[in-house]
Amino acid sequence: SEKWVLMVTAQTPTNIAVIKYWGKRDEDLILPINDSISVTLDPEHLCTTTTVAVSPSFDQDRMWLNGKEFSLSGGRYQRCLKEIRSRASGFEDEKKGVKITEKDWENLHVHISSYNNFPTAAGLASSAAGFACLVFSLAKLMNVKEDHGRLSAIARQGSGSACRSLYGGFAKWIMGKNDDGSDSMAVQLADEKHWDDLVIVIAVVSSRQKETSSTSGMRESVETSKLIHHRAKEVVPKRIVEMEEAIKNRDFESFAHLSCADSNQFHAVCMDTCPPIFYMNDTSHRIISCVEKWNRSEASPQVAYTFDAGPNAVLIARNRKAAALLLQRLLFHFPPRSDADLKSYVIGDKSILQ
Ligand code: PMV
């Protein structure tokens, strides 16, 4: 008899860590061995748009990604769905004749449709935006009354880095102390207006999928690298304090030194893993040299670089002028050719190219 459908659409950008998360102390709950800090991209670039719908006529939970259905049976999806469902509250819309009680949610099914506005195959972080958007839209649909911190702890169980995408600007994922993960969540350090001089340029070095997933890479590092444990205990805690200070003061020099050093140490940990993991390639290394050389020729750094679990460079320019000069340099040293490794640039601000 009831023929209604309720829908919610949300959009979430991806985030890029400037102090990296690498290594879990609990794989099921996704609890990290150190805090991390990230910058969230503008919503018009690298973001996920997710629509979730509920109707009494749906007979199972289903999900589509970029128009193609895929199985929701993965533990991480199930966990996020379960956590949100258990917090659902009743909802009533008299005009539409919709009445859902808290108990009804246990038997109602959802359909989820998610789109990335960037090629999923480009090897660019997509799980962060994806799980953050999924959790946020489901929470809205099911009338969950939790703050962003609590929601971030749920998104964390989908993909660790997703917990930081619930906020714009700068976010910190606090590793937490509890074994049940209840205090492992993200907080906002500064909103998107705080430091809006920064321009982020992503140099797509290769669109191939990475060979070692972050999940297995982290596991291998935790099991075989001594450096990762030294990093988590002795290096990151101090860097977190310094990075928070740099962000607060919009101190680009410290921000750049810390971001570059932390990216390099993360990749050193990968090299220290047995067998070693290579995420960067020759082009990535050449981009690092190019940026280092330029920064050293100036009175203070113009651009920071950071690389995640892949060869693509995330370049953070101190302002629009530096970003324009950066693009000139990239185009000069790495002219895009259809058969070349470096294919294209995703630009934080399109008008920079004009
Ligand atoms: O959340 P995951 O499993 O995709 O891991 C992300 C790991 C890095 O991107 C390399 C670092 C980070 O903090 O985002």
Side-chain angles (χ1 to χ4, degrees):
S1 59
E2 303 163 288
K3 281 273 158 44
W4 50 265
V5 181
L6 272 185
M7 270 198 269
V8 167
T9 297
Q11 208 171 50
T12 313
T14 195
N15 72 78
I16 306 289
V18 287
I19 301 293
K20 304 288 185 198
Y21 145 56
W22 194 252
K24 298 181 180 83
R25 61 180 203 273
D26 184 316
E27 277 208 26
D28 280 338
L29 291 170
I30 311 198
L31 302 178
I33 58 170
N34 58 256
D35 293 351
S36 54
I37 291 180
S38 63
V39 53
T40 300
L41 302 189
D42 290 337
E44 65 260 43
H45 311 283
L46 305 192
C47 85
T48 300
T49 305
T50 299
T51 298
V52 289
V54 62
S55 167
S57 59
F58 298 163
D59 57 4
Q60 55 172 316
D61 294 336
R62 295 173 72 181
M63 177 157 180
W64 291 260
L65 181 61
N66 295 326
K68 256 183 82 179
E69 180 159 17
F70 82 96
S71 161
L72 269 174
S73 60
R76 293 174 173 202
Y77 288 97
Q78 288 306 322
R79 186 157 236 146
C80 288
L81 272 163
K82 197 174 137 233
E83 293 285 332
I84 293 289
R85 265 206 179 96
S86 72
R87 291 168 173 81
S89 45
F91 174 87
E92 188 166 1
D93 186 328
E94 278 180 25
K95 267 195 234 131
K96 290 193 187 119
V98 178
K99 186 168 190 243
I100 307 173
T101 66
E102 203 176 300
K103 251 200 127 357
D104 288 340
W105 284 112
E106 288 167 28
N107 305 310
L108 283 166
H109 293 285
V110 290
H111 285 184
I112 303 162
S113 171
S114 207
Y115 280 89
N116 291 329
N117 72 343
F118 54 94
T120 310
L124 295 161
S126 56
S127 64
F131 276 106
C133 205
L134 177 72
V135 165
F136 188 77
S137 51
L138 282 175
K140 283 275 170 270
L141 182 76
M142 299 192 182
N143 206 10
V144 170
K145 296 180 180 98
E146 299 271 26
D147 59 18
H148 274 49
R150 290 272 155 240
L151 292 182
S152 82
I154 299 174
R156 186 202 78 225
Q157 298 174 58
S159 170
S161 54
C163 73
R164 299 181 311 234
S165 265
L166 269 281
Y167 307 95
F170 294 88
K172 171 165 81 159
W173 175 10
I174 301 167
M175 62 182 281
K177 291 191 188 75
N178 301 346
D179 286 341
D180 65 358
S182 54
D183 58 350
S184 186
M185 60 173 77
V187 295
Q188 188 177 49
L189 294 177
D191 70 15
E192 51 279 14
K193 289 190 280 291
H194 171 70
W195 200 352
D196 59 1
D197 287 351
L198 298 181
V199 178
I200 300 178
V201 172
I202 297 176
V204 179
V205 169
S206 164
S207 56
R208 258 170 293 163
Q209 288 282 53
K210 57 192 170 206
E211 275 163 38
T212 311
S213 72
S214 54
T215 303
S216 55
M218 283 184 206
R219 185 184 308 138
E220 287 162 19
S221 294
V222 167
E223 282 170 6
T224 65
S225 166
K226 282 212 171 73
L227 180 57
I228 195 176
H229 300 289
H230 167 72
R231 162 180 166 72
K233 277 202 197 68
E234 311 293 339
V235 182
V236 176
K238 194 159 162 264
R239 277 191 186 154
I240 291 280
V241 174
E242 290 168 351
M243 183 56 97
E244 281 191 59
E245 200 59 21
I247 291 167
K248 197 172 107 201
N249 302 324
R250 297 186 204 90
D251 170 0
F252 189 78
E253 185 158 356
S254 304
F255 176 84
H257 282 311
L258 289 163
S259 306
C260 299
D262 203 68
S263 170
N264 291 334
Q265 188 176 65
F266 154 50
H267 290 278
V269 163
C270 292
M271 282 280 260
D272 192 48
T273 299
C274 183
I277 308 165
F278 307 104
Y279 285 125
M280 294 194 284
N281 64 18
D282 278 356
T283 310
S284 321
H285 292 148
R286 282 173 57 217
I287 292 174
I288 293 180
S289 301
C290 179
V291 171
E292 289 280 355
K293 215 161 140 193
W294 179 23
N295 282 344
R296 263 151 237 277
S297 72
E298 303 277 344
S300 68
Q302 300 300 302
V303 173
Y305 57 81
T306 186
F307 295 74
D308 277 342
N312 300 319
V314 177
L315 301 158
I316 308 174
R318 70 183 308 150
N319 52 33
R320 293 168 61 88
K321 193 172 157 229
L325 291 170
L326 168 68
L327 284 175
Q328 274 178 21
R329 275 169 198 261
L330 285 175
L331 290 167
F332 178 77
H333 291 285
F334 310 90
R337 281 173 297 157
S338 59
D339 60 340
D341 231 5
L342 191 75
K343 284 201 184 104
S344 59
Y345 309 100
V346 179
I347 298 135
D349 184 340
K350 288 189 200 85
S351 61
I352 292 248
L353 264 189
Q354 288 163 9

